[in-house]
Amino acid sequence: MFIGYVVVAALLAFALSASAFLTFTRNPQIVGSMTKLDVPDAWLPRLATLKAAGALGLLAGLAVPLLGGAAAIGVFLYFIGALVTHLRAKDFELAPVAVLTVLAVAALVLRIASA
């Protein structure tokens, strides 16, 4: 189970890190997507910080199981918020958000199972 957690946590941490970087650097595609969802521009640094913290927490969870579980829960809650935001804006391009939500759940289950 631990190898499964390593794989899922690494994939999710990579996706979160890339997204955080693109958000911090105000990539036009990210800014455009956030604008379409009515997310205030002032929220971008906070959202990027949450994604970066989630990535670090998942990787730290390799050594500290409780931290990995907490990070997976935080990432899951972040993406539940993202799903709600997409639905409220009537934006039904949900596949990326849904995949990341499922990966967060998988990371949590695998971290608990391998502890």
Side-chain angles (χ1 to χ4, degrees):
M1 290 295 185
F2 182 72
I3 292 172
Y5 175 75
V6 170
V7 171
V8 171
L11 287 171
L12 189 53
F14 176 75
L16 289 168
S17 298
S19 181
F21 174 77
L22 292 172
T23 305
F24 275 129
T25 59
R26 299 202 185 267
N27 176 280
Q29 187 175 0
I30 298 291
V31 172
S33 176
M34 294 293 194
T35 301
K36 183 171 81 170
L37 297 173
D38 293 326
V39 174
D41 193 53
W43 286 17
L44 294 182
R46 292 181 193 109
L47 295 174
T49 301
L50 288 172
K51 289 185 255 189
L56 290 173
L58 288 167
L59 295 178
L62 297 172
V64 183
L66 189 59
L67 188 56
I73 290 169
V75 171
F76 169 74
L77 292 174
Y78 177 93
F79 284 110
I80 290 297
L83 280 169
V84 169
T85 301
H86 278 269
L87 293 173
R88 292 179 98 192
K90 294 182 177 35
D91 176 28
F92 300 108
E93 296 177 23
L94 300 174
V97 176
V99 168
L100 293 171
T101 304
V102 169
L103 281 176
V105 171
L108 177 61
V109 169
L110 290 168
R111 183 67 269 189
I112 290 170
S114 66

